[in-house]
């Protein structure tokens, strides 16, 4: 069975770079499961910067919604990096889908993977309480999803100022 690694941290904490290095520690080439969608110029620039940093060791599999399906399709092809759970959750919730069912399906699929899966997520528990109901619902869902994934993960790393701190 493959390992499940969760890398969490705040915005611009270095979590993606840490997760990329961890994925390549398993094999010289890896699959990048991208959950972001370039809906505006700023997001397109962020995606391009991530792609440029990764280089030729990566094959991209874009999947904004069916993360469990993306893992099934790519299993057996090397380590996979999912970047990121937070954007995936946003896509699921804003698309009107049942995030709890999707999250539980993801949690159930992870232990069955034969290749490693490294998941990047934002740590949401250190901020202030959001002022609107949708933001509070999202914060709560992200915190719960992170806990579910951490519970089944073999490793959990917290990124702080570009440094990996082993949590589990």
């Amino acid at each position: 069975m493959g390992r499940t690694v969760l890398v969490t941290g705040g915005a611009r904490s270095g979590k993606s770079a840490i997760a990329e290095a961890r994925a390549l520690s398993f094999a010289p080439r890896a699959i990048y499961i991208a959950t972001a969608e370039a809906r505006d110029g700023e997001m397109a620039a962020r995606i391009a910067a991530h792609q440029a940093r990764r280089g030729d060791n990566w094959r991209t599999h874009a999947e904004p919604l069916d993360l469990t399906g993306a893992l099934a399709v790519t299993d057996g092809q090397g380590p996979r990096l999912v970047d990121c759970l937070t954007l995936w959750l946003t896509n699921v919730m804003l698309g009107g889908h049942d995030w709890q069912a999707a999250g539980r399906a993801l949690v159930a699929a992870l232990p069955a993977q034969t290749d490693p899966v490294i998941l990047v997520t934002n740590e949401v528990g250190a901020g202030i309480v959001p002022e609107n109901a949708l933001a509070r619902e999202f914060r709560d869902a992200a915190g719960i999803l992170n806990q579910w994934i951490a519970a089944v993960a073999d490793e959990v790393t917290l990124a702080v100022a570009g440094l990996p701190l082993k949590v589990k």
Side-chain angles (χ1 to χ4, degrees), residues 40-168:
D40 58 34
E42 187 264 341
M43 187 55 104
R46 286 176 178 262
I47 290 169
H50 269 244
Q51 290 171 335
R53 183 183 69 229
R54 288 196 306 268
D56 295 334
N57 293 354
W58 296 87
R59 186 181 62 156
T60 300
H61 181 99
E63 183 47 66
L65 283 174
D66 187 10
L67 190 48
T68 303
L71 290 174
V73 167
T74 59
D75 200 18
Q77 300 175 31
R80 282 82 40 85
L81 170 62
V82 175
D83 198 354
C84 78
L85 281 179
T86 313
L87 285 173
W88 173 75
L89 179 62
T90 299
N91 296 338
V92 169
M93 290 179 74
L94 292 180
H97 305 283
D98 182 345
W99 74 264
Q100 289 189 15
R104 286 187 180 107
L106 175 60
V107 168
L110 288 170
Q113 300 298 300
T114 59
D115 284 327
V117 178
I118 298 85
L119 303 112
V120 176
T121 191
N122 287 288
E123 185 53 48
V124 296
I128 61 171
V129 175
E131 57 91 18
N132 68 74
L134 178 59
R136 287 189 299 275
E137 180 184 2
F138 175 78
R139 186 236 13 226
D140 293 349
I144 291 166
L145 179 63
N146 288 348
Q147 290 179 53
W148 289 350
I149 301 293
V152 298
D154 300 293
E155 302 172 26
V156 177
T157 298
L158 174 64
V160 178
L163 301 173
L165 300 173
K166 184 176 181 174
V167 176
K168 177 182 178 184

